[in-house]
């Protein structure tokens, strides 16, 4: 298999993973780094230094947490030999990352390697970002080539996001800060830009005149997966909408950037966020729906309700589902709403962006086959990655009977190709110093500025999440949200 230049790096690096025993490190980061290593995409000299407060040495870490990370590597990609090679890069240090006095061993390990790209990956609670950055600085570990990677959510509202950004910004320049939104690393999301700006076909139709509305759905069948403590103080609006769904909205709605570089793309995304019409406190009851799953079944297996999950308060009112209608007040999108929804423990794990075109102006084929449906362009991110264009076509046979057909562009790998998974791509970009797929501080703050009134509105109006059965498409109120506009959620999972 040949690896394109953009998908590998010879850059020598040291990556310090703060929160090295946490869920993110074990589920996403170590498996992604292993895979990059396995395909020879990162420099052989690169080191990964997991740090956490767990007491144990490197061998014990590998036995315990290394084993757990291995379980998240696709079986076809895992071999003992490749894992042992990878494990040689992996170090573990027991330390408190917020205590500048605890950095001695790490400093010793990094000493003499100042010429390497030094990456601090904060896979820890966002509440600690400021303290960790101050401690890194106080320990004298910030070099010219240092970079810091921050996981979302950055803050829990606008003020706290500004505070985090200011604290991190006091230590690192904006060009050194990589705010991750792993949805931007997904293959289909990248293809959204390729399709829009690499083809002359779609862009003229990409506006309110031709598009009736847009739906963005991120439905998960997973529950909170042992993250009850984090999730119960976060909820779906902060965990998913503020970042992943708004990023998808931005890429769908933004104007064509002049260049494919970080400044141009970020500028266009910020303009979209600033054009989002604020949802007033009064409108939260008409334009948003929150939900919480109760016990039900996923693929015929019974699952418990949200309030029975470990570390979740028995009387929790945290939302595990959100649906909302967003309007973009600009020339391109006036009159074309964006409907967003996301939820945990839904029946079908599917993530997709659906652009529904306007209906044909004259019904020539009335009563001739399936009801004439408007064209839809579907970007599916998960479970399979593909782009589909739904068209009406003639059914074979005599006479004209119409039926629905799909033009299907599958994005699964061709023989000899292997595309990068989201974290693989983003980690590689951090090592290579490419910031295009990371969020600027202004983007994060603009997103919070739009989300915050919804949170305030819910609290102000005492909005409680509506219960929905695990394994369904969410509360019935979310159907009403779109049906009252004479539209329907697209739920055609094949
Ligand atoms: C994370 C959220 O950012 O994204 C999780 O914190 C969620 O709650 C996850 O499950 C979904 O990511 P993906 O790539 O599995 O769709």
């Amino acid at each position: 298999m040949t690896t394109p230049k953009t998908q590998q790096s010879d850059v020598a690096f040291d990556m310090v993973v703060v929160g090295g025993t946490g869920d993110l490190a074990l589920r996403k980061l170590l498996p992604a780094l292993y895979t990059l290593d396995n395909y020879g995409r990162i420099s052989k000299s690169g080191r990964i230094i997991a740090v956490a407060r767990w007491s144990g040495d490197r061998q014990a870490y590998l036995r315990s947490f290394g084993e757990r990370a291995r379980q998240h590597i696709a079986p076809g990609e895992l071999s003992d030999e490749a894992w042992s090679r990878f494990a040689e890069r992996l170090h573990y240090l027991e330390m408190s990352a917020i205590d500048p006095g605890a950095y001695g061993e790490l400093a010793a390990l990094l000493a003499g390697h100042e010429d390497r790209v030094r990456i601090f990956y904060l896979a820890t609670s966002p509440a600690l970002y400021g303290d960790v950055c101050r401690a890194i600085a106080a320990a004298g570990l910030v070099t010219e080539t240092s970079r810091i990677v921050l996981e979302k959510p950055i803050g829990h509202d606008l003020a706290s996001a500004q505070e985090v950004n200011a604290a991190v910004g006091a230590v690192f320049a904006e060009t050194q800060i990589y705010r991750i939104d792993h949805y931007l690393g997904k293959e289909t999301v990248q293809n959204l830009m390729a399709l829009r700006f690499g083809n002359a076909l779609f862009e003229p139709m990409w506006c309110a005149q031709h598009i009736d509305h847009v739906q963005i759905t991120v439905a998960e069948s997973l529950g909170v997966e042992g993250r009850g403590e984090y999730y119960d103080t976060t909820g779906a609006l902060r965990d998913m909408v503020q970042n992943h769904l708004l990023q998808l909205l931005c890429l769908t709605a933004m104007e064509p950037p002049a260049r494919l570089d970080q400044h141009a793309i970020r500028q266009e995304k910020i303009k979209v966020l600033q054009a989002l019409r604020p949802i007033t406190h009064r409108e939260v009851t008409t334009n948003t729906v929150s939900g919480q799953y109760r016990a039900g079944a996923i693929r015929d297996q019974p699952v418990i309700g949200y309030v029975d999950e470990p570390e979740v308060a028995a009387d929790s009112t945290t939302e595990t589902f959100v649906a909302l209608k967003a309007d973009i007040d600009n020339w391109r999108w006036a009159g074309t709403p964006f409907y967003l929804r996301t939820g945990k423990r839904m029946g079908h794990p599917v993530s997709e962006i659906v652009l529904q075109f306007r209906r044909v102006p004259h019904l020539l084929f009335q009563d001739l086959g399936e009801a004439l449906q408007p064209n839809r362009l579907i970007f599916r991110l998960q479970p399979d990655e593909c782009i589909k264009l739904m068209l009406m076509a003639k059914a074979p046979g005599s006479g004209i009977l119409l039926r629905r057909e799909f033009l299907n562009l599958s994005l699964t790998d061709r023989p000899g190709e292997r595309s990068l998974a989201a974290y693989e791509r983003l980690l590689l970009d951090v090592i290579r110093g490419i910031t295009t797929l990371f969020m600027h501080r202004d983007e994060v703050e603009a997103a919070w500025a739009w989300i915050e009134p919804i949170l305030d509105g819910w609290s102000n109006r005492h909005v409680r999440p509506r219960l929905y059965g695990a394994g369904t498409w969410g509360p019935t109120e979310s159907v009403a949200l779109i049906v009252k506009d004479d539209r329907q959620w697209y739920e055609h999972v094949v």
Side-chain angles (χ1 to χ4, degrees):
M1 181 164 62
T2 51
T3 307
K5 276 219 151 22
T6 52
Q7 297 191 1
Q8 63 184 1
S9 154
D10 298 327
V11 176
F13 68 90
D14 283 331
M15 185 179 295
V16 180
V17 179
V18 180
T21 53
D23 183 69
L24 177 70
L26 304 182
R27 274 206 312 153
K28 302 284 189 187
L29 305 183
L30 295 186
L33 289 163
Y34 160 86
T35 309
L36 288 172
D37 176 51
N38 193 18
Y39 283 96
R41 287 181 156 144
I42 47 177
S43 157
K44 288 198 168 58
S45 64
R47 296 186 298 176
I48 298 147
I49 305 154
V51 308
R53 301 172 74 139
W54 177 78
S55 72
D57 61 10
R58 180 184 187 188
Q59 288 314 323
Y61 177 81
L62 284 171
R63 271 197 307 278
S64 172
F65 295 99
E67 271 316 303
R68 279 170 58 188
R70 273 174 67 125
Q71 288 161 17
H72 297 286
I73 298 169
E77 310 268 9
L78 184 61
S79 79
D80 286 342
E81 192 194 333
W83 177 262
S84 311
R85 212 179 37 239
F86 173 68
E88 277 168 33
R89 306 172 174 270
L90 200 50
H91 301 253
Y92 176 73
L93 294 180
E94 176 194 348
M95 61 177 264
S96 159
I98 54 173
D99 175 4
Y103 275 70
E105 258 189 284
L106 179 61
L109 197 58
L110 295 176
H113 294 288
E114 287 73 14
D115 53 336
R116 291 174 168 221
V117 168
R118 184 173 288 179
I119 299 159
F120 296 96
Y121 197 120
L122 304 199
T124 175
S125 160
L128 304 178
Y129 289 172
D131 289 340
V132 176
C133 286
R134 280 187 285 273
I136 293 172
L141 296 185
V142 183
T143 54
E144 244 173 61
T145 57
S146 287
R147 293 167 194 164
I148 184 134
V149 188
L150 307 178
E151 270 290 334
K152 49 119 293 223
I154 303 212
H156 55 269
D157 56 16
L158 179 58
S160 56
Q162 286 168 332
E163 213 174 288
V164 172
N165 281 333
V168 178
V171 175
F172 295 93
E174 183 63 28
T175 48
Q176 294 177 292
I177 306 173
Y178 292 66
R179 295 180 190 82
I180 275 214
D181 185 312
H182 77 276
Y183 268 59
L184 295 182
K186 291 187 189 263
E187 189 73 6
T188 322
V189 177
Q190 311 249 299
N191 244 304
L192 176 61
M193 283 204 279
L195 193 95
R196 278 191 68 185
F197 307 129
N199 297 287
L201 204 59
F202 293 107
E203 205 46 31
M205 310 274 295
W206 210 267
C207 58
Q209 195 188 344
H210 298 290
I211 295 179
D212 177 71
H213 72 277
V214 178
Q215 301 184 10
I216 301 179
T217 295
V218 178
E220 298 183 86
S221 57
L222 294 177
V224 289
E225 306 300 301
R227 296 192 307 154
E229 190 186 347
Y230 154 79
Y231 198 86
D232 209 31
T233 53
T234 308
L237 191 66
R238 291 182 171 102
D239 184 48
M240 296 294 287
V241 182
Q242 189 272 344
N243 34 79
H244 303 325
L245 276 86
L246 283 187
Q247 284 293 322
L248 297 181
L249 176 146
C250 284
L251 290 177
T252 310
M254 73 183 185
E255 295 300 313
R259 294 172 310 281
L260 201 61
D261 73 24
Q262 42 164 325
H263 303 294
I265 295 176
R266 285 169 169 185
Q267 271 325 106
E268 295 308 338
K269 287 198 288 173
I270 291 169
K271 281 191 222 159
V272 174
L273 291 168
Q274 289 169 342
L276 281 172
R277 187 184 308 161
I279 294 180
T280 62
H281 288 189
R282 197 166 48 84
E283 285 165 344
V284 290
T285 51
T286 51
N287 288 15
T288 76
V289 173
S290 64
Q292 187 188 79
Y293 66 82
R294 50 180 166 70
I298 305 272
R299 283 181 295 275
D300 298 331
Q301 294 301 314
V303 294
I304 56 173
Y306 176 68
V307 289
D308 295 320
E309 298 277 6
E311 296 171 353
V312 169
D315 57 352
S316 171
T317 56
T318 299
E319 80 288 355
T320 61
F321 174 96
V322 179
L324 57 83
K325 177 182 174 185
D327 290 290
I328 303 177
D329 285 334
N330 66 15
W331 193 279
R332 187 185 284 263
W333 295 113
T336 293
F338 282 60
Y339 298 92
L340 274 47
R341 67 178 167 164
T342 182
K344 297 228 176 256
R345 285 284 187 234
M346 295 176 71
H348 297 277
V350 63
S351 301
E352 58 190 15
I353 304 170
V354 179
L355 287 93
Q356 179 160 323
F357 289 84
R358 295 203 182 276
R359 292 178 182 277
V360 291
H362 173 61
L363 286 179
L364 195 59
F365 301 103
Q366 214 161 6
D367 302 329
L368 293 173
E370 282 184 19
L372 203 57
Q373 298 195 21
N375 301 127
R376 294 190 181 97
L377 181 60
I378 301 155
F379 291 83
R380 180 169 293 173
L381 283 61
Q382 280 160 185
D384 46 329
E385 300 198 276
C386 62
I387 301 174
K388 292 174 190 240
L389 181 60
M390 202 204 86
L391 303 165
M392 295 306 289
K394 180 185 167 301
S398 62
I400 293 196
L401 282 181
L402 294 196
R403 69 178 184 195
R404 190 171 66 168
E405 297 286 356
F406 289 94
L407 285 181
N408 197 345
L409 176 63
S410 167
L411 301 174
T412 46
D413 299 332
R414 303 205 173 136
E417 277 179 359
R418 183 192 176 280
S419 53
L420 295 166
Y423 270 97
E424 293 164 24
R425 173 175 288 119
L426 295 171
L427 285 165
L428 196 58
D429 280 358
V430 176
I431 296 168
R432 296 171 69 220
I434 298 172
T435 53
T436 314
L437 297 178
F438 297 85
M439 291 178 293
H440 188 274
R441 110 179 241 174
D442 295 348
E443 257 177 284
V444 175
E445 291 175 15
W448 275 122
W450 189 71
I451 291 290
E452 201 172 84
I454 303 176
L455 289 163
D456 291 346
W458 284 351
S459 125
N460 197 277
R461 300 257 151 177
H462 308 291
V463 173
R464 292 278 172 273
R466 310 282 176 163
L467 292 179
Y468 62 97
T472 67
W473 281 101
T476 44
E477 287 78 2
S478 74
V479 178
L481 174 89
I482 187 164
V483 166
K484 69 177 154 47
D485 293 345
D486 218 6
R487 296 176 173 119
Q488 280 183 355
W489 290 112
Y490 180 73
E491 288 168 357
H492 185 79
V493 181
V494 280

